[in-house]
Amino acid sequence: MNKLNCYASAAFGLEGPVASELRALHMSEVAAENGGVRFQASAEELYKCNLCLRECDRLYIIAAEGICTAFEDLYQLVYRISWQDYAEGREAINVSAKCARSTLMSPRDCQSVTKKAILSKLQSVRGQSFFPENGPPLPVQISVHNDRVKVLINTSGEALSRRGYRTWNGEAPLRETLAAALVLLSPWNKSKPLYDPCCGTGTILTEAALIAANRAPGLKRNFSMEQFFCFRDLPFEKIRESVSSQIREDGEFRISGSDISPDAVELAERHIKQADFKGRIQVFCKPLQDVVLTEQGGVFICNPPYGERLSDRKSCRKLYGDLHLLKNRHPGWSMCVISSEPSFERAYGRKADKKRRFYNGRLECTYYIYY
């Protein structure tokens, strides 16, 4: 079984957790680096990773990499790839590019040179002079950093955060991959109650339910590699069925939450229904100051407002203090909060037992864990 050189892109701070997920899926040569994780996998294993990974942004095949300080270097690097193995000649070849701290700093020119090299190679190998590009997409990404170029083939298509259950967004949506990470890095497991007192549109709650049910997050969507010429004989449905057989829908969830906004709670209920968890996750409209739970030994996980606008900061800092009071009302519970507010611990009233840095969109945040 031939192994492909693969790359899992990840948001800042999630490279380690994604590497742990890949090892749990028994991938080989797993190595985390800034921005992602390298690993080796067969085509079948790569498809399973697309279905199962919870914290990863996208999965790529590394078609080639090397140092490029001129566009001719880039052309030759791309041309040397056996594109006839990936394309039969009618694909819509979509090239994107990201450039940082390099001699080649024009994404548009990198895209143009790359596409020219791909078509030239296909023309020389297949003897084809016209490429209609009316077939399935072949998404190619050029990543240029410190003059090192990676030529990547995107096997995911849309970001893996697009699970398919969230079709309505609130004011400040939390990406599903980060929400899953907050759950997995917390002290929670499915034997404990979980409560989100600032649940917004329900992303943390839904991701926790997916984890509790051992349901792969990608089962409700498709991936670009399903249409690749080189993978036309892969048993996609058989792989999906194998992953689906691991779902554990039996057992009661102890997952619930609340929000002060009626509109947010309405959206949360819609998302929960779309994720097929209606009736298994409870959400309520109430301020966190009114939350009183009877269950013991649970975990609070929340993404409260950050107060990015100066006028909001005072009320947000009061809210952080109220989170501490909420924890005090529930002895034996843990509290996990993500925030971009540098003075969060002072507003909360106590230093965290554990901290991790992430990016929520473009905001640098810290995840505070109080056991």
Side-chain angles (χ1 to χ4, degrees), residues 21-175:
E21 283 195 89
L22 287 165
R23 292 188 185 101
L25 289 171
H26 308 294
M27 298 303 110
S28 60
E29 305 298 323
V30 176
E33 59 184 47
N34 287 337
V37 185
R38 293 171 183 263
F39 65 103
Q40 290 189 343
S42 66
E44 290 88 347
E45 289 171 334
L46 181 57
Y47 186 65
K48 183 178 179 182
C49 288
N50 268 303
L51 289 167
C52 296
L53 289 178
R54 301 183 186 277
E55 302 160 287
C56 168
D57 284 343
R58 285 183 174 88
L59 289 169
Y60 301 89
I61 297 168
I62 304 176
E65 59 183 322
I67 300 296
C68 297
T69 56
F71 286 115
E72 179 61 23
D73 298 335
L74 176 61
Y75 180 92
Q76 293 299 331
L77 179 69
V78 175
Y79 188 86
R80 287 193 293 270
I81 299 168
S82 299
W83 290 105
Q84 67 274 14
D85 293 342
Y86 300 103
E88 60 180 341
R90 63 186 187 88
E91 288 79 5
I93 300 171
N94 305 320
V95 182
S96 60
K98 294 180 180 179
C99 306
R101 301 176 185 174
S102 299
T103 307
L104 305 182
M105 284 297 291
S106 169
R108 180 175 294 181
D109 288 336
C110 288
Q111 290 170 252
S112 177
V113 169
T114 297
K115 188 160 185 177
K116 181 180 178 182
I118 294 171
L119 295 178
S120 295
K121 181 59 172 282
L122 288 174
Q123 185 176 16
S124 68
V125 174
R126 297 194 180 280
Q128 187 176 342
S129 58
F130 175 68
F131 298 90
E133 296 199 63
N134 58 2
L138 181 67
V140 177
Q141 182 171 310
I142 302 300
S143 173
V144 189
H145 188 267
N146 290 334
D147 292 333
R148 175 164 287 278
V149 174
K150 286 199 289 279
V151 183
L152 305 169
I153 300 173
N154 178 2
T155 70
S156 302
E158 285 192 316
L160 294 179
S161 59
R162 303 291 182 89
R163 317 286 210 216
Y165 67 79
R166 194 170 79 177
T167 52
W168 300 274
N169 285 326
E171 184 177 339
L174 182 71
R175 188 174 294 178

Side-chain angles (χ1 to χ4, degrees), residues 43-44 46-48 50-51 155 219 222-244:
E44 290 88 347
L46 181 57
Y47 186 65
K48 183 178 179 182
N50 268 303
L51 289 167
T155 70
L219 284 173
N222 297 106
F223 306 96
S224 60
M225 69 179 290
E226 293 171 14
Q227 301 183 69
F228 287 3
F229 165 72
C230 55
F231 298 142
R232 62 192 181 280
D233 295 326
L234 274 188
F236 293 116
E237 283 306 314
K238 185 177 179 181
I239 299 169
R240 279 182 178 268
E241 289 170 6
S242 175
V243 171
S244 296

Side-chain angles (χ1 to χ4, degrees), residues 112-354:
S112 177
V113 169
T114 297
K115 188 160 185 177
K116 181 180 178 182
I118 294 171
L119 295 178
S120 295
K121 181 59 172 282
L122 288 174
Q123 185 176 16
S124 68
V125 174
R126 297 194 180 280
Q128 187 176 342
S129 58
F130 175 68
F131 298 90
E133 296 199 63
N134 58 2
L138 181 67
V140 177
Q141 182 171 310
I142 302 300
S143 173
V144 189
H145 188 267
N146 290 334
D147 292 333
R148 175 164 287 278
V149 174
K150 286 199 289 279
V151 183
L152 305 169
I153 300 173
N154 178 2
T155 70
S156 302
E158 285 192 316
L160 294 179
S161 59
R162 303 291 182 89
R163 317 286 210 216
Y165 67 79
R166 194 170 79 177
T167 52
W168 300 274
N169 285 326
E171 184 177 339
L174 182 71
R175 188 174 294 178
E176 292 90 332
T177 45
L178 179 55
L182 300 184
V183 174
L184 290 168
L185 293 169
S186 77
W188 178 78
N189 61 61
K190 68 175 186 175
S191 68
K192 300 178 180 180
L194 182 151
Y195 195 94
D196 182 352
C198 306
C199 72
T201 59
T203 308
I204 290 174
L205 301 176
T206 306
E207 290 298 318
L210 288 171
I211 292 166
N214 199 38
R215 190 195 301 172
L219 284 173
K220 293 173 86 59
R221 57 162 289 178
N222 297 106
F223 306 96
S224 60
M225 69 179 290
E226 293 171 14
Q227 301 183 69
F228 287 3
F229 165 72
C230 55
F231 298 142
R232 62 192 181 280
D233 295 326
L234 274 188
F236 293 116
E237 283 306 314
K238 185 177 179 181
I239 299 169
R240 279 182 178 268
E241 289 170 6
S242 175
V243 171
S244 296
S245 69
Q246 305 301 312
I247 296 174
R248 298 188 298 266
E249 293 289 11
D250 57 325
E252 181 185 353
F253 293 161
R254 293 195 286 167
I255 298 171
S256 55
S258 56
D259 198 278
I260 196 172
S261 166
D263 292 339
V265 171
E266 182 181 350
L267 287 177
E269 289 174 339
R270 291 189 193 181
H271 294 157
I272 289 165
K273 180 180 178 181
Q274 294 235 134
D276 299 326
F277 290 122
K278 183 179 180 180
R280 306 187 70 188
I281 301 172
Q282 306 299 320
V283 288
F284 311 96
C285 184
K286 66 170 68 174
L288 69 86
Q289 294 85 351
D290 294 344
V291 172
V292 179
L293 307 175
T294 58
E295 292 186 287
Q296 303 295 315
V299 179
F300 294 110
I301 305 177
C302 65
N303 173 39
Y306 297 164
E308 288 306 302
R309 292 174 296 189
L310 189 63
S311 59
D312 294 336
R313 286 181 181 169
K314 186 174 181 179
S315 60
C316 283
R317 286 170 184 157
K318 181 183 182 304
L319 183 71
Y320 301 152
D322 289 338
L323 285 171
H324 193 183
L325 294 175
L326 174 64
K327 185 180 186 305
N328 288 343
R329 288 200 301 274
H330 298 84
W333 280 64
S334 299
M335 174 68 73
C336 306
V337 186
I338 185 170
S339 176
S340 67
E341 172 57 57
S343 63
F344 173 85
E345 288 171 301
R346 184 164 66 250
Y348 183 83
R350 183 185 145 198
K351 283 191 173 294
D353 296 312
K354 189 174 183 180

